[in-house]
Amino acid sequence: MNIKGYHLGSGEPVICVAVTETSTDAIIEKIKFLTEFGAQAIEWRVDYFDGQQEVAAVCEILEAVSTYVKQTIFLTTYRTRAEGGQGDLDTEAYEALIVAMAENGVADFVDVELDSSADAQALFARVHEAGGKVIASHHDFEKTPATVDMISMMSDMYELGADVAKLAVMPQSFSDVVAVLDATVVVHQSYPNQPKITISMGKLGAITRLLGESVGSCLTFGTVGRASAPGQMEYKNVARALDSIHVCLSEE
């Protein structure tokens, strides 16, 4: 999948920076700064926004940053508290916001939590009808599911119509970290042309944020300022590590 000159699905993973500012001015200024910084991708975490209850206020910010993100992959995410975020919208309001962000057209991808809708397939279809692309996601900040369950979950995301499948889970042992890598490889073999994002969170799983090119995960996160999830590393350190791994993998 080619987006703004980046190919998602092979080669070096794209590095994404999350924006977690709370006010309109701070959000716009941070996104502008990150594009000037050279971030490859930006995720706006709408659940941190003070005005998240007002769809119009969200869309006004999207319009305000549209000129800044023309060359930068741009994701919009409303992460619910059930999956580690700050969002408290009920299901109806959540779905309305998701569709509105897709209709707005500024975001390249809209994150949609697999379990936050009674009918994920219908919500994915509504996003597509609005002209958007879906990152279907599932986050577990307590544990790592069994490998077979992670494979099944990501496969279901694709079968329900997701453009990208994202899974982020918390390891309790290094075996859990290996399980995430194993699941990613299996899903990548089954769906080689569909982008996927997999993360084992926390310090224990930090290595998974660097091994995407080896196992098939197309995007990782780096920090420029505060982190939005446990285990994220500073952007420039991630970039150096990914470049080194890419050179090694490219050598004959």
Side-chain angles (χ1 to χ4, degrees), residues 1 8 109 134-137 157-158 162-166 194-197 218:
M1 180 184 295
L8 300 180
F109 296 97
V134 173
I135 296 178
S137 66
M157 291 173 180
Y158 291 130
D163 299 287
V164 181
K166 179 186 179 187
Q194 292 183 261
K196 53 205 64 71
I197 303 166
C218 72

Side-chain angles (χ1 to χ4, degrees), residues 28-221:
I28 295 170
E29 185 60 31
K30 185 62 176 287
I31 291 173
K32 179 176 182 291
F33 167 77
L34 288 174
T35 59
E36 294 170 346
F37 171 83
Q40 297 171 330
I42 296 171
E43 177 188 45
W44 176 26
R45 285 287 300 273
V46 183
D47 52 298
Y48 279 86
F49 175 38
D50 289 337
Q52 62 182 264
Q53 301 284 343
E54 300 295 331
V55 171
V58 172
C59 290
E60 285 176 7
I61 291 177
L62 291 173
E63 291 300 328
V65 303
S66 61
T67 57
Y68 302 132
V69 297
K70 291 185 181 298
Q71 304 301 321
T72 306
I73 297 175
F74 188 50
L75 292 57
T76 56
T77 296
Y78 186 87
R79 185 70 64 231
T80 64
R81 290 192 185 276
E83 298 207 10
Q86 305 295 311
D88 289 317
L89 294 179
D90 62 28
T91 300
E92 183 178 353
Y94 172 84
E95 293 185 356
L97 176 61
I98 293 297
V99 174
M101 292 191 296
E103 289 175 339
N104 176 270
V106 174
D108 298 296
F109 296 97
V110 179
D111 184 291
V112 184
E113 292 177 355
L114 183 65
D115 299 324
S116 291
S117 174
D119 189 340
Q121 185 172 26
L123 183 54
F124 294 174
R126 290 174 66 191
V127 171
H128 288 144
E129 289 166 5
K133 290 184 174 63
V134 173
I135 296 178
S137 66
H138 175 77
H139 296 70
D140 191 327
F141 281 76
E142 296 182 358
K143 65 183 185 305
T144 298
T147 303
V148 65
D149 293 333
M150 291 189 284
I151 293 169
S152 176
M153 190 179 304
M154 286 191 286
S155 299
D156 286 347
M157 291 173 180
Y158 291 130
E159 297 305 317
L160 291 172
D163 299 287
V164 181
K166 179 186 179 187
L167 183 68
V169 295
M170 187 65 73
Q172 301 301 324
S173 68
F174 195 71
S175 294
D176 286 342
V177 178
V178 173
V180 171
L181 297 173
D182 284 344
T184 308
V185 170
V186 171
V187 174
H188 189 57
Q189 290 172 341
S190 299
Y191 299 89
N193 298 317
Q194 292 183 261
K196 53 205 64 71
I197 303 166
T198 56
I199 300 166
S200 182
M201 293 185 285
K203 292 181 179 180
L204 191 59
I207 192 172
T208 63
R209 297 178 180 276
L210 303 176
L211 295 180
E213 185 170 0
S214 297
V215 299
S217 181
C218 72
L219 182 145
T220 190
F221 285 84

